[in-house]
Amino acid sequence: ARLLDRLAAAEAATGDGRDEAWHAARKAAKRLRYTAEALEPATGKPARRLRKAAKQVTTALGARQDTVVAREQLVRLAALAREDGESDFTYGLLVGQEQARAAEAERDALGARGRVEKRRDDWG
C-alpha cells in the first residue's frame, strides 16, 4: 500500500517537489521488492510475482532518477558555457530530451502499478 500511495503522490506532485516524490516512490518500490524477495522461499509464487512487479516499477523509476542527475549536470554545464560566452542552446535541447525520458519512465512505472496491485491482491 505504501508504494501505491507514493506513486499516487508522485503522479499528483508539481513543482519543486516532483522529483523527490518520484524518488520516494522508487524507494518504496525497492523496499517492496526486497521484502517480497525475502518472503519468496517461504511463500513461493505469490512473492515471486510481487517481486517481479515491484522490480518493473523500480527499474522504470531508476531510469527516471538517472534523468534527474543528467538534467542537473546539463544545467551546470549550460551555466559554465554561458559564463564562457558560449551558447547554451544545445544543453537546453539535451535537458528537453532528458525530460521526455523522465516522462516515459513515469508512464512505465504507472503502467506497472496495475501489476503491483494485482499481485498484492493475490495475497488475499
Side-chain angles (χ1 to χ4, degrees):
R2 182 178 294 167
L3 170 58
L4 300 176
D5 291 343
R6 296 281 162 81
L7 284 171
E11 188 176 21
T14 59
D16 292 341
R18 187 166 167 70
D19 288 337
E20 184 52 42
W22 283 108
H23 190 58
R26 178 180 180 223
K27 291 189 286 188
K30 287 170 81 172
R31 280 191 298 273
L32 176 60
R33 177 181 170 187
Y34 298 141
T35 299
E37 186 175 349
L39 292 172
E40 204 170 326
T43 62
K45 192 183 239 183
R48 183 175 58 254
R49 287 180 171 169
L50 184 59
R51 175 185 52 80
K52 287 180 178 183
K55 182 180 179 180
Q56 289 176 318
V57 176
T58 302
T59 299
L61 294 181
R64 188 193 185 284
Q65 184 62 28
D66 291 346
T67 74
V68 170
V69 173
R71 283 181 278 151
E72 289 171 353
Q73 186 64 20
L74 288 166
V75 168
R76 281 193 286 276
L77 290 171
L80 291 172
R82 274 191 311 276
E83 287 176 13
D84 290 342
E86 298 174 15
S87 173
D88 61 357
F89 180 77
T90 302
Y91 294 104
L93 291 176
L94 293 172
V95 168
Q97 287 179 341
E98 291 299 320
Q99 288 170 328
R101 284 184 55 223
E104 180 181 353
E106 291 168 14
R107 286 189 299 274
D108 291 347
L110 294 173
R113 172 177 49 191
R115 289 184 283 284
V116 169
E117 289 173 329
K118 181 180 184 330
R119 299 309 176 201
R120 179 198 62 186
D121 294 343
D122 288 348
W123 289 78

